[in-house]
Amino acid sequence: MSDDCIFCKIVAAEIPSHQFYQDELVTAFQDISEQAPVHILIVPNQHFNDVGEMGDAQAEILGRIMQVASQLAVQQGAASEGWRLVTNVGRNGGQEVFHTHFHLLGGRPLGPLLTR
Ligand code: 5GP
Ligand code: ZN
C-alpha cells in the first residue's frame, strides 16, 4: 500500500469503484473516464509504480492480469469483435497514475494503435 496512491485505495475499497473482479493478486474496475463501451482497469493489488518495476517474481501477477482481461472481455461481450490491452509507462507512454494498470478496451472499433 502506497499512502498517496489512488489505485491502492481503490483496491482496498477506501475509494469506491465499480468493481468487476478481485482475487488475492489483482483487481479490475471501471475506468472513471471511459474511452470505449468496455474500459476496465486491471491492476495488481500490490503497489508497483509501473510494469517496468515488475520482474520474474511478479510473473504470476502479470499472467493473472492477462487471464482476467480475457475473461472480462468474454463477460462484457467484447470477445467476438475483439479488444485491446494497453499499459502506459512513464512520460512518453502518457502514464497518469503511477500504480501499474492495464486498460482493457473494447466494444467498438479501436482504430490504429497510435495516432501521429
Ligand atoms: P494512464 O493514463 O495512467 O494509463 O491511465 C490512468 C487511467 O485512470 C485513466 O484512464 C483515468 O480515467 C483513470 N482514473 C484516474 N483516476 C481514477 C479514479 O479515481 N477512479 C477510476 N475508476 N479511474 C481513474
Ligand atoms: Zn498503488
Side-chain angles (χ1 to χ4, degrees), residues 21-33:
Y21 179 84
Q22 187 167 53
D23 64 21
E24 79 283 10
L25 295 180
V26 307
T27 300
F29 54 94
Q30 175 71 33
D31 194 293
I32 205 167
S33 173

Side-chain angles (χ1 to χ4, degrees), residues 6-7 10 29-33 88 94-97 101 103:
I6 197 155
F7 286 179
I10 286 175
F29 54 94
Q30 175 71 33
D31 194 293
I32 205 167
S33 173
N88 295 319
Q95 185 178 5
E96 290 178 352
V97 177
H101 54 280
H103 299 253

